[in-house]
């Protein structure tokens, strides 16, 4: 190991040897002092354009081709040019090895910050948080994406670009409802998944015989109409994972289309934990980089100038505009997450009476990293906030709760503020904003009219009066009908069962299904 | 554990490019509309620089199940003075900005930067010179020749000496061929040497070196490299485009401007579509002259009007430089329609006897006063003359234009891929 009293770098310039030194120094602090447990790291140096590229294909290093990624790229490039948007200077992939991108324009200090943040903070979180363990397969994801990319390209060659594009468009429209929210099945093994996909195709090709097409089919068996309960049980209804349902039961999809739905579904599922842990994930990474870089500065490995530069970007990252600020657009996950991690550190090491009363389990226990590592492993945003948001932090952010009921003529009511009466209510309400059950509309397949016109029936259970946007919903249902290839109806009903609105979509005669 | 650092900048396999092309294909109608619109509000020269267009986003957004309305609960930071139970008046919906949840929710268009090529491509997308190469189909393709690297076989005339020598040098170094200086030094030593044993040793060493030199030739056949050429098929369709313009006193600035626009567009179109297009600029008052592009568009000139002078000039140029057997001849003429009455006869004869028979296509653009209406223009002398010729089936297209926004439709109109039928009819 190098002597700890020598500078890692001076000024802003860096080369690959500098990066190696920085990685080594960060790793030492992460391993020996923070006791982090990470996947092997892979650092990739890229240009700004490649960063935009990575942005537009959902941050993945390799992805299948689709026009919408081109759209995102154009959109982001335009705002980047206008200077509306600085590039986020970190993208990190939940995979093993864990891939972090460094932009070549960054100064040496920024590279240190990103390495500490992504390669150690995010990396540890990915490897240890229970949601990621449950839902994602870090070892297999890169291979699986490679497979998906090849498979989509292969489909385009065989079945034409347009047909593939239609199928993917439809799948993308349903992506938000292509997720299993509750574990029940065995964990994901993408490598095996890919092998199975290959075998499925091979079998189809081997078993194909054109003669079967010509076998005369007798009149349809007029089996007794199954009773509703039995039918729904057989189809696995109600089913909230629309993509899964279509893949398994849509009557006229071709095998390759089912495979495409499956790919989109797997990718949606892979990102599902990230949507539930934004605050924790960024909080963890920010807390880790803050600890590491402070330590490096103490060890005399960063100059004061570089440390000041770090503090400036760090402060920008964790800035929380207030609600009446023009820059306000909701809680900044970096700010909220980092504040909570620091607050937990304070409660563990230097608690006050209030903290002992609220957090008897951890107050004053003294082992900051132990407590934090345990939290990082076992919580998600919603449970994390509802357990660990302290009154002190609520006061610090001066939070208040607005209740906006359209029925209320007078205006919006302030329901709770940062005072004794309000702490618990605020905490509950804030946690609810991160609750996955409330984030996406609750839409399920409830029935299929097998005896009649094979209509697929969906239900949206309306919560708190928030109905679906009409124009968008019509288009999504159109995609759904194209995949299902018969009529699709969607009923919006409230908890009491009152029907508020009904949509019906008819399939178009394009070759989504043949 | 050493951390793996990769430099990805070295392979900028721009993933975005293909996705971008897909996106452009997808949004083609929208982008094309935007291109047309933006090119009407700008100078052509700027337009052809590509640049930004605004594309309405709603034609391309990806729908999702989104909820809206209902009872909303929000936790916000930064309370100043509210206490529990306060009622706040609702902000005006117009004042409040939409919650930008998705991308571009609150924006209905986004600025999209097109490269020059993409822009012009879109613009010229459904244009094609009519009948190009029709006459040439039966002809053999002419071959051009292009250097293409090196090869190990070829004719002695094509030996590349520098390549061969450098390869030989590399081989000699690699196989450790003794250098002549070393040999010379040993022989000098042998000449001075008196000690028998040492002499024998030296002679053996010299012998060994010599055999080695014989075994490893200075230049070996495997070193030899020949320059390689490959033949490239040259497109046989070569066309010449004549731009004729009236620059006489009766042409106002506005009219010249219109004509200029028309030609610039034409010019870009030709330059782009066909590698083998010659362009000849002829401007005329009562005398015609062939000029270069710069003068054609920007040079000052004034005088009377004799259309036939331009046609005569074109005819002479065709005869001297562009044999109709080898060239497809296209002509586009812009004028305000003025012509001396005495000249009508000559013009008509030149056209019917000399020009039209050798031309694939002749376009006439009549430019009018600003704020005039094209259908209200009285028919000018030239228009009437051409109309008569057209009625007799001459391959002649005519349009009237008053506003610069009309240039583009006309342009499209003139060169649209038309079916055989329509062409024979017009």
């Amino acid at each position: 190991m190098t002597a700890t009293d020598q500078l890692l770098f001076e000024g802003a310039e860096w080369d690959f040897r500098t990066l190696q030194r920085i990685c080594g120094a960060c790793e030492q602090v992460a391993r020996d002092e923070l006791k982090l447990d990470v996947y092997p790291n892979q650092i990739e140096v890229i240009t700004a354009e490649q960063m935009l590229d990575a942005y537009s294909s959902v941050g993945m290093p390799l992805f299948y081709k689709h026009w919408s990624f081109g759209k995102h790229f154009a959109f982001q490039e335009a705002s980047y040019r206008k200077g509306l948007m600085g590039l986020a200077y970190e993208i990190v992939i939940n995979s093993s090895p864990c891939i972090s991108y460094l932009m070549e324009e960054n100064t040496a200090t920024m590279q240190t910050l990103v390495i500490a943040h992504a390669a150690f903070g995010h990396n540890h979180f990915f490897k240890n948080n229970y949601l990621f363990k449950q839902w994602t397969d870090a070892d297999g994801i890169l291979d699986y994406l490679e497979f998906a990319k090849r498979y989509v390209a292969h489909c385009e060659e065989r079945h034409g670009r347009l047909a593939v594009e239609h199928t993917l468009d439809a799948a993308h429209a349903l992506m938000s409802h292509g997720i299993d929210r509750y574990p029940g099945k065995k964990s994901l093994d993408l490598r095996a998944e890919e092998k199975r996909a290959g075998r499925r195709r091979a079998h189809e090709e081997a078993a194909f015989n054109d003669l079967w097409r010509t076998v005369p089919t007798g009149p349809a068996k007029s089996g007794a109409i199954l009773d509703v309960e039995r039918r729904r049980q057989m189809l696995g209804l109600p089913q909230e994972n629309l993509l899964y349902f279509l893949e398994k039961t849509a009557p006229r999809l071709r095998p390759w289309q089912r495979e495409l739905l499956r790919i989109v579904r797997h990718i949606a599922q892979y990102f599902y934990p990230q949507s539930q842990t934004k605050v924790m994930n960024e909080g963890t990474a920010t807390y880790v980089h803050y600890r590491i870089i402070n330590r490096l500065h103490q060890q005399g490995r960063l100059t004061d100038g570089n440390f000041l530069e770090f503090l400036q970007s760090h402060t920008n990252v964790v800035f929380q505009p207030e609600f009446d600020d023009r820059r306000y657009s909701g809680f900044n996950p970096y700010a909220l997450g980092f504040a909570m991690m620091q607050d937990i550190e304070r409660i563990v090491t230097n608690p006050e009476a209030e903290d002992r009363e609220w957090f008897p389990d951890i107050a004053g226990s003294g082992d900051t990293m132990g407590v934090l590592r345990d939290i990082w492993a076992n919580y998600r945003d919603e449970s994390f906030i509802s357990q660990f948001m302290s009154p002190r932090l609520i006061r610090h952010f001066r939070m208040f709760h607005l209740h906006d009921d359209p029925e209320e003529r007078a205006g919006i009511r302030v329901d709770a503020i940062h005072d004794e009466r309000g702490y618990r209510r605020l905490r509950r309400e804030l946690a609810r904003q991160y609750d996955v059950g409330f984030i996406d509309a609750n839409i399920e397949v409830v029935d299929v009219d097998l005896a009649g016109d094979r209509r697929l029936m969906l239900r949206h259970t309306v919560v708190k009066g928030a109905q679906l946007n009409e124009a968008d919903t019509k288009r999504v249902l159109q995609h759904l009908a194209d995949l299902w290839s018969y009529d699709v109806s969607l009923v919006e009903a409230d908890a009491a069962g009152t029907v508020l609105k009904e949509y019906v979509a008819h399939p178009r005669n394009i070759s989504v299904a043949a | 554990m050493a951390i793996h650092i990769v430099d990805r900048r070295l392979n900028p396999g721009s993933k975005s490019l293909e996705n971008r092309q897909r996106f452009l294909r997808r949004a083609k109608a929208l982008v094309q509309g935007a291109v047309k619109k933006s090119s009407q509000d700008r100078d052509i020269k700027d337009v052809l620089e590509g640049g930004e267009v605004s594309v309405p986003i709603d034609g391309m957004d990806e729908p999702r199940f989104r909820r809206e309305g209902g009872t909303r609960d929000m936790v916000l930071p930064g309370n100043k003075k509210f206490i529990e139970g306060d009622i706040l008046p609702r902000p005006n919906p117009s004042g409040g900005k939409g919650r930008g949840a998705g991308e571009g929710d609150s924006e209905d268009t986004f600025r999209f930067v097109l490269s020059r090529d993409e822009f012009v491509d879109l613009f010229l997308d459904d244009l094609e010179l009519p009948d190009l190469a029709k006459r040439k189909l039966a002809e053999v393709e002419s071959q051009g020749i292009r250097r293409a690297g090196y090869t190990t076989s070829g004719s002695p005339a094509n030996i590349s000496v520098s390549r061969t020598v450098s390869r030989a040098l590399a081989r000699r170094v690699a196989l450790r061929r003794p250098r002549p200086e070393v040999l010379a030094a040993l022989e000098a030593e042998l000449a001075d040497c008196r000690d028998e044993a040492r002499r024998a040793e030296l002679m053996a060493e010299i012998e060994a070196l010599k055999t080695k030199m014989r075994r490893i030739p200075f230049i070996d056949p495997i070193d030899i490299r020949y320059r390689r050429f490959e033949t490239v098929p040259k497109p046989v369709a070569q066309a010449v485009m004549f731009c004729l313009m009236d620059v006489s006193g009766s042409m106002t600035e506005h009219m010249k401007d219109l004509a200029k626009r028309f030609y610039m567009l034409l010019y870009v179109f030709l330059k782009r579509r066909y590698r083998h297009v010659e362009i000849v600029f002829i401007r005329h008052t009562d005398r015609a002259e062939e000029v270069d592009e710069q003068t054609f568009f920007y040079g000052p000139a004034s005088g009377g009007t004799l259309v036939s002078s331009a046609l005569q000039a074109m005819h002479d140029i065709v005869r001297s430089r562009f044999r109709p057997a080898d060239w497809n001849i296209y002509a586009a003429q812009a004028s305000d329609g003025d012509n001396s009455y005495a000249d009508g006869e000559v013009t008509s004869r030149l056209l019917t006897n000399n020009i039209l028979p050798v031309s694939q296509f002749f376009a006439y653009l009549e430019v009018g006063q600003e704020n005039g209406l094209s259908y209200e223009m009285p028919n000018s002398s030239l228009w009437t003359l051409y109309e008569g010729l057209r009625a007799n089936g001459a391959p002649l297209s005519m349009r009237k234009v008053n506003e610069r926004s009309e240039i583009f439709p006309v342009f499209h109109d003139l060169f649209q891929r038309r079916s055989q039928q329509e062409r024979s009819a017009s």
Side-chain angles (χ1 to χ4, degrees), chain B residues 229-247:
Chain B
F229 296 90
E230 62 182 16
T231 50
V232 278
K234 282 219 174 105
V236 77
Q238 45 183 6
V240 57
M241 176 97 214
F242 283 90
C243 298
L244 315 175
M245 186 164 69
D246 178 357
V247 289

Side-chain angles (χ1 to χ4, degrees), chain B residues 168-179:
Chain B
L169 177 64
R171 183 180 48 80
R172 292 198 305 271
V173 169
L175 296 178
R176 304 237 171 87
R177 186 180 195 261
R179 289 167 47 204

Side-chain angles (χ1 to χ4, degrees), chain A residues 82-295:
Chain A
K82 271 195 299 201
L84 286 182
M85 172 186 92
L87 283 176
Y89 35 67
E90 47 117 5
I91 288 188
V92 53
I93 312 287
N94 164 27
S95 63
S96 176
C98 175
I99 299 174
S100 323
Y101 292 133
L102 297 183
M103 253 199 323
E104 65 173 352
E105 287 88 345
N106 286 345
T107 62
T109 309
M110 289 301 288
Q111 306 296 32
T112 316
L113 169 63
V114 176
I115 288 170
H117 181 97
F120 295 98
H122 281 305
N123 187 343
H124 171 89
F125 195 84
F126 288 148
K127 189 173 174 183
N128 294 279
N129 183 268
Y130 80 106
L131 275 176
F132 287 87
K133 285 182 167 176
Q134 204 165 54
W135 289 117
T136 66
D137 170 17
D139 289 320
I141 186 67
L142 293 178
D143 291 342
Y144 188 73
L145 287 173
E146 176 66 42
F147 152 77
K149 187 177 172 174
R150 271 201 325 269
Y151 188 73
V152 171
H154 163 83
C155 283
E156 285 184 341
E157 280 168 25
R158 284 189 63 154
H159 310 287
R161 204 174 47 76
L162 271 182
V164 173
E165 195 170 85
H166 283 312
T167 310
L168 283 178
D169 283 352
H172 285 178
L174 297 165
M175 208 162 173
S176 56
H177 290 75
I179 297 166
D180 292 323
R181 285 191 173 72
Y182 308 102
K185 296 189 290 189
K186 57 186 187 310
S187 68
L188 199 58
D189 179 357
L190 288 174
R191 283 213 172 99
E193 170 65 35
E194 183 189 336
K195 285 201 188 73
R196 274 202 301 278
R199 280 207 301 274
R200 272 199 299 275
R201 281 198 310 281
H203 174 75
E204 274 151 24
E205 280 167 16
F208 176 77
N209 185 338
D210 203 41
L211 283 177
W212 289 117
R213 262 196 326 107
T214 63
V215 173
T217 49
K221 305 242 183 329
S222 57
I225 296 169
L226 298 165
D227 65 311
V228 179
E229 279 311 310
R230 173 116 179 75
R231 179 174 71 228
R232 291 179 46 153
Q233 194 186 346
M234 276 177 60
L235 289 168
L237 297 175
Q239 172 61 267
E240 61 166 8
N241 189 335
L242 304 184
L243 283 178
Y244 177 81
F245 181 84
L246 288 169
E247 179 199 329
K248 295 299 178 208
T249 54
R252 293 172 62 188
L253 286 182
R254 299 217 200 108
W256 63 268
Q257 293 176 302
R258 294 182 206 277
E259 199 66 61
L260 290 184
L261 295 190
R262 198 179 176 82
I263 285 171
V264 173
R265 183 166 66 82
H266 279 314
I267 288 169
Q269 191 73 58
Y270 171 85
F271 285 113
Y272 178 61
Q274 304 202 10
S275 66
Q276 292 184 70
T277 52
K278 280 208 177 79
V279 172
M280 283 192 79
N281 212 332
E282 294 305 351
T284 303
T286 309
Y287 180 81
V288 166
H289 82 224
Y290 192 74
R291 286 281 302 258
I292 288 179
I293 292 185
N294 269 295
R295 190 80 193 98

Side-chain angles (χ1 to χ4, degrees), chain A residues 382-396:
Chain A
E382 179 223 354
S383 54
F384 175 61
I385 290 171
S386 69
Q387 293 253 353
F388 295 100
M389 174 61 71
S390 71
R392 186 192 171 102
L393 213 53
I394 294 177
R395 287 196 299 274
H396 165 79

Side-chain angles (χ1 to χ4, degrees), chain A residues 43-44 53 74 156 169 322 398 401-405 412 414 421 433 438 464 467 469 475, chain B residues 4 6 8 16 22 26 61 66-68 71-75 79-80 84-86 88 90 112:
Chain A
I43 309 269
E44 308 206 344
D53 251 353
E156 285 184 341
D169 283 352
E322 300 193 328
R398 301 208 299 280
H401 171 206
L402 290 181
H403 179 76
D404 182 359
D405 186 348
I412 307 171
V414 178
R421 286 166 45 96
Q433 290 187 9
F438 283 92
K464 296 206 296 191
Q467 288 181 241
N469 166 296
R475 292 174 57 202
Chain B
H4 194 44
V6 189
R8 283 278 173 220
S16 60
R22 282 164 189 255
R26 172 89 176 202
D61 63 337
R66 282 192 294 126
R67 286 174 306 170
E68 50 190 25
T71 314
R72 295 198 308 156
D73 284 286
M74 291 162 284
V75 175
N79 185 4
K80 311 281 187 300
E84 193 177 326
D86 279 357
L88 317 177
R90 287 203 172 78
F112 184 61

